[in-house]
Amino acid sequence: MELELPLVIHENYHLLVSAVALLLGFVLLYGLRWNLKTRRKSKEIWRKSSNNSDNDGLQLPETDGSTDVIIVGAGVAGAALACTLAKDGRRVHVIERDLTEPDRIVGELLQPGGYLKLIELGLEDCVDGIEAQQVFGYAIYMDGKNTKLSYPLEKFDSDISGRSFHNGRFIQRMREKAATLPNVKLEQGTVTSLLEKKGTVEGVCYKTKDGQIMTAYAPLTIVCDGCFSNLRRSLCKPKVEVPSCFVGLVLENIDLPYANHGHVILADPSPILFYPISNTEVRCLVDVPGQKVPSISNGEMANYLKTVVAPQIPPELYDAFVAAVDKGNIRTMSNRSMPADPQPTPGALLMGDAFNMRHPLTGGGMTVALSDIVLLRDLLRPLKNLNDAPMLCHYLESFYTLRKPVSSTINTLAGALYKVFCASPDPARKEMRDACFDYLSLGGIYAEGPISLLSGLNPRPLVLFLHFFAVAIYGVGRLLIPFPTPKRLWLGIRLIMGASGIIFPIIRSEGVRPMFFPATVPAYYRAPRV
């Protein structure tokens, strides 16, 4: 027996080593298989790009290289991108469906993180002369209580803050700036299709203002034609959701309770927003869950706003709100959400709302767009000749990966916060909503962390994840103190499950790997090191 014991240990040791070796072999085989797939995909894209040099003897218009970049759309993303690329020496052709001043009820709040990107692009003067208002934080109201959350701006100059304005005025300022640049051609027209050859986008077909059908060619086409894009389907896999609609009003000659702050009312069934957009005007956005809203024409909307919404408005704003309803200038729009799911295509790129949307509750859309423009500018700078299709495609693939940590953080925050802020008959969801308000009311790091995410000043996925579950754990702790009864314990478990059910599907749609571990994605290393 004494001799058998070492023998058994020896055999078990070999079994353990064999099992570990088998596991490591499986992991290695899986990794090699994954890398092989990635390389095959990249080679296929490169092959398509390389084939672009063969034009089958056809002479295409504008092959003299008169345009480097075609930009479809001149909204916030398109106009800012045109200015940015033109200042880098690119010859830019912008085609916009309607060059008159837009009249929208969203895209009116630029977070401080977005304003910093605007400065980085040299476009900060575009908020001058349009009565833009400085925004220093938010005030949140719920059940007769309120708390003020200030942006963490102590380390920045006094000029650094959020900005709120009329969206159309802001866009027109950027269009005017782009039009003054000698290498920008700004044209009104409707792009009907992308021109492709052997898998590579070579330009666009569009209809001019007077109805003439034209074609334009460039080595790079960037599609920024907004949330209703008719071109995105060939460049991504759109999965558009419409969780709610906004009903927009303008309150006149009224001071908000907290000057230069956005105001969020956690109402039933969903949030109400107030923020200044000029020296005398305050925008009100009433969120209505679902895709249908009461009719404006037959008076149902006015009745809804007066009977359901008005009683939940802070007393200081009640009279101005009712007056705005009576005035009758009520606007509506759908709130769309769409995770970025690109199909890398040689010669083309998606940006702005055409590519990626999130609920506008947090005002993060322009911050994402301007951040993307800064990233794309830096990626393209080392490329003197955009006609190098394989190299251009290589860099564009890295763009989709490098943008993920910032964009996914802002997108996830918007989706999660909207669901938490909406009223629900579920006791666990109600506890989560109450816990969120009370957590933010604690101040200090409990408020600074979330507001730094909201402001775009610290868009880090891990910070978002930790604070979200800190709120959930805080809510559970309140339930279990002072006596953890079985009913309260079960409610706490449901609260955690509900929180997981809110955030994990959003993270999954954004992509866990590129969001939290972008350095493990091969395309991450294709970016030029400058």
Side-chain angles (χ1 to χ4, degrees):
M1 289 295 293
E2 292 179 358
L3 292 174
E4 289 179 1
L5 186 59
L7 182 61
V8 171
I9 294 174
H10 184 68
E11 289 177 352
N12 288 341
Y13 173 77
H14 277 287
L15 285 173
L16 179 62
V17 170
S18 299
V20 172
L22 183 63
L23 180 61
L24 289 174
F26 174 77
V27 172
L28 180 62
L29 182 62
Y30 180 82
L32 290 172
R33 183 171 174 269
W34 187 89
N35 281 331
L36 182 61
K37 281 186 176 181
T38 303
R39 289 176 182 175
R40 283 177 180 170
K41 183 180 177 183
S42 296
K43 284 180 180 179
E44 178 66 17
I45 293 172
W46 273 56
R47 184 183 63 76
K48 288 180 180 179
S49 302
S50 300
N51 286 343
N52 186 41
S53 59
D54 179 15
N55 287 325
D56 295 334
L58 294 175
Q59 195 69 27
L60 300 174
E62 297 192 22
T63 51
D64 59 347
S66 60
T67 302
D68 296 314
V69 182
I70 294 171
I71 298 175
V72 182
V76 172
L81 186 61
C83 292
T84 301
L85 296 182
K87 286 192 288 187
D88 273 3
R90 310 289 185 189
R91 294 162 297 181
V92 181
H93 184 184
V94 185
I95 305 171
E96 163 59 37
R97 183 181 58 83
D98 185 359
L99 286 173
T100 60
E101 184 176 309
D103 184 15
R104 302 181 67 205
I105 63 172
V106 293
E108 297 174 321
L109 178 60
L110 179 64
Q111 298 287 3
Y115 184 66
L116 286 174
K117 295 298 179 182
L118 200 69
I119 293 173
E120 197 171 342
L121 295 171
L123 299 173
E124 66 273 21
D125 58 339
C126 291
V127 298
D128 297 337
I130 60 172
E131 294 189 18
Q133 305 296 300
Q134 283 192 285
V135 179
F136 297 108
Y138 283 86
I140 303 180
Y141 288 71
M142 189 182 77
D143 297 336
K145 302 177 292 183
N146 68 81
T147 185
K148 187 176 79 167
L149 307 174
S150 297
Y151 294 138
L153 300 172
E154 297 80 9
K155 298 179 182 178
F156 299 96
D157 295 337
S158 59
D159 184 56
I160 305 301
S161 65
R163 292 292 193 281
S164 54
F165 38 68
H166 280 275
N167 173 269
R169 296 177 187 175
F170 179 53
I171 288 175
Q172 287 300 94
R173 288 280 288 131
M174 287 199 291
R175 288 175 178 175
E176 291 165 5
K177 186 159 188 168
T180 63
L181 299 172
N183 47 340
V184 172
K185 178 183 179 182
L186 183 59
E187 181 178 6
Q188 182 163 312
T190 302
V191 175
T192 55
S193 63
L194 300 175
L195 299 176
E196 290 190 46
K197 187 172 183 182
K198 296 182 179 179
T200 298
V201 173
E202 296 184 337
V204 298
C205 178
Y206 67 101
K207 184 184 290 187
T208 63
K209 186 178 180 181
D210 57 9
Q212 186 178 0
I213 304 298
M214 299 285 288
T215 57
Y217 293 86
L220 177 58
T221 299
I222 303 177
V223 176
C224 312
D225 57 343
C227 61
F228 299 107
S229 173
N230 63 341
L231 303 175
R232 66 161 69 103
R233 289 191 176 278
S234 58
L235 301 175
C236 74
K237 302 171 185 175
K239 298 175 184 176
V240 180
E241 295 181 359
V242 183
S244 68
C245 299
F246 267 157
V247 178
L249 300 163
V250 173
L251 280 59
E252 298 178 335
N253 301 311
I254 183 72
D255 293 327
L256 289 167
Y258 293 92
N260 299 104
H261 281 67
H263 289 58
V264 182
I265 290 62
L266 303 189
D268 186 358
S270 51
I272 305 165
L273 306 179
F274 293 91
Y275 52 88
I277 55 174
S278 74
N279 294 337
T280 59
E281 297 167 302
V282 169
R283 170 69 71 195
C284 172
L285 295 175
V286 178
D287 186 84
V288 179
Q291 300 183 24
K292 289 186 177 181
V293 296
S295 171
I296 296 175
S297 59
N298 65 10
E300 287 181 5
M301 177 64 78
N303 182 61
Y304 174 82
L305 293 174
K306 286 183 177 180
T307 59
V308 177
V309 178
Q312 303 182 74
I313 300 292
E316 304 96 317
L317 302 174
Y318 180 87
D319 290 341
F321 179 82
V322 172
V325 174
D326 289 337
K327 190 173 182 180
N329 187 20
I330 303 172
R331 308 272 302 282
T332 65
M333 68 156 288
S334 299
N335 293 327
R336 293 167 175 257
S337 175
M338 185 183 77
D341 190 7
Q343 296 181 133
T345 304
L349 187 72
L350 272 171
M351 292 191 76
D353 284 350
F355 176 43
N356 184 203
M357 294 180 282
R358 77 288 310 148
H359 196 284
L361 173 69
T362 56
M366 288 189 288
T367 300
V368 171
L370 295 171
S371 177
D372 283 351
I373 292 169
V374 170
L375 174 60
L376 183 64
R377 177 200 65 184
D378 295 343
L379 279 173
L380 293 180
R381 271 181 173 168
L383 277 179
K384 303 303 179 185
N385 180 14
L386 297 183
N387 287 291
D388 186 349
M391 186 61 70
L392 179 60
C393 183
H394 224 38
Y395 281 6
L396 296 187
E397 279 194 74
S398 69
F399 167 79
Y400 291 128
T401 301
L402 292 169
R403 70 180 293 276
K404 266 294 181 180
V406 171
S407 64
S408 293
T409 301
I410 294 173
N411 296 344
T412 303
L413 177 67
L417 209 56
Y418 175 71
K419 290 184 178 181
V420 171
F421 279 179
C422 283
S424 171
D426 182 357
R429 286 284 296 272
K430 185 180 184 304
E431 284 293 338
M432 183 70 177
R433 190 192 200 202
D434 293 346
C436 184
F437 179 85
D438 290 342
Y439 182 89
L440 295 173
S441 299
L442 293 173
I445 60 171
Y446 307 105
E448 187 174 321
I451 200 67
S452 70
L453 290 164
L454 183 66
S455 66
L457 296 171
N458 184 31
R460 297 183 183 180
L462 187 58
V463 174
L464 167 62
F465 187 83
L466 292 176
H467 274 286
F468 187 82
F469 278 100
V471 170
I473 293 168
Y474 174 73
V476 173
R478 297 192 323 163
L479 286 170
L480 301 184
I481 295 174
F483 302 111
T485 63
K487 182 179 178 180
R488 286 173 167 265
L489 184 59
W490 173 239
L491 188 57
I493 293 171
R494 288 185 55 211
L495 193 157
I496 293 293
M497 291 172 62
S500 301
I502 288 174
I503 198 168
F504 284 131
I506 302 174
I507 291 176
R508 192 181 304 117
S509 68
E510 291 290 332
V512 176
R513 191 178 176 202
M515 182 175 176
F516 289 94
F517 313 105
T520 67
V521 180
Y524 181 86
Y525 299 98
R526 294 177 191 165
R529 303 304 175 201
V530 292

